[in-house]
Amino acid sequence: MTPDELMRRAIALSMEKMLDGSGGPFGAVIARDGAIVAEGWNQVTSANDPTAHAEVVAIRRACQALGRFALGDCEIYTSCEPCPMCLGAIYWARLGRIWFGNDRGDAAAIGFDDDFLYHELPRPIAARSIPTQRLLGDEARAAFDAWRMKEDRMAY
């Protein structure tokens, strides 16, 4: 499939699944060499899961389909510019390229918080909207020390 066809599939998913009550108007397709590996659509309200964004769902399905957590040889086609959570997931999955339709301004215009989150993240921790405080850092570091010493750890 061509990039246009793959994007059209992501856009179609966003419309179909929004109209059937699955969630918001977002769809995503992960492809490798022009073939669809996995599809995802927003399921936040139907699954009662705030992390069930189209991109995250598609990444989970692609990783299961391919039996691995790294998707460097794949690309994601998403009906909207990824929110910060999804962008983080895309980077963690090591996807090779991101294609998107609507942008964060379009999402903000219909009431989604993407643009707010993009502005919130670079703020100093003390200035963010949700109070955030470090607690028991020295104790928490023990798990990191154990990981560093673990000889059979799998880097990711």
Side-chain angles (χ1 to χ4, degrees), residues 143-156:
F144 280 16
D145 292 341
W147 173 259
R148 186 178 61 247
M149 302 303 290
K150 187 173 177 4
E151 292 184 19
D152 64 342
R153 72 179 179 265
M154 182 181 293
Y156 60 93

Side-chain angles (χ1 to χ4, degrees), residues 25-41:
F26 304 96
V29 170
I30 294 180
R32 182 176 60 184
D33 298 325
I36 294 175
V37 174
E39 297 179 340
W41 52 90

Side-chain angles (χ1 to χ4, degrees), residues 1-16 26-29 36 39-40 76-80 99-101:
M1 298 177 78
T2 68
D4 286 358
E5 291 170 320
L6 291 162
M7 180 58 77
R8 284 190 181 102
R9 180 61 188 147
I11 293 167
L13 281 168
S14 73
M15 179 68 80
E16 292 167 17
F26 304 96
V29 170
I36 294 175
E39 297 179 340
I76 189 165
Y77 296 79
T78 180
S79 64
C80 186
W99 303 82
F100 68 92

Side-chain angles (χ1 to χ4, degrees), residues 7-92:
M7 180 58 77
R8 284 190 181 102
R9 180 61 188 147
I11 293 167
L13 281 168
S14 73
M15 179 68 80
E16 292 167 17
K17 299 303 183 176
M18 180 263 303
L19 291 175
D20 80 6
S22 292
F26 304 96
V29 170
I30 294 180
R32 182 176 60 184
D33 298 325
I36 294 175
V37 174
E39 297 179 340
W41 52 90
N42 185 282
Q43 298 174 38
V44 170
T45 56
S46 59
N48 293 317
D49 179 354
T51 69
H53 289 200
E55 298 90 338
V56 172
V57 171
I59 288 167
R60 289 174 181 159
R61 289 179 175 164
C63 289
Q64 288 176 347
L66 297 174
R68 54 190 162 97
F69 58 82
L71 303 173
D73 58 344
C74 298
E75 299 181 341
I76 189 165
Y77 296 79
T78 180
S79 64
C80 186
E81 179 182 2
C83 74
M85 176 185 72
C86 293
L87 187 60
I90 288 166
Y91 273 87
W92 280 117

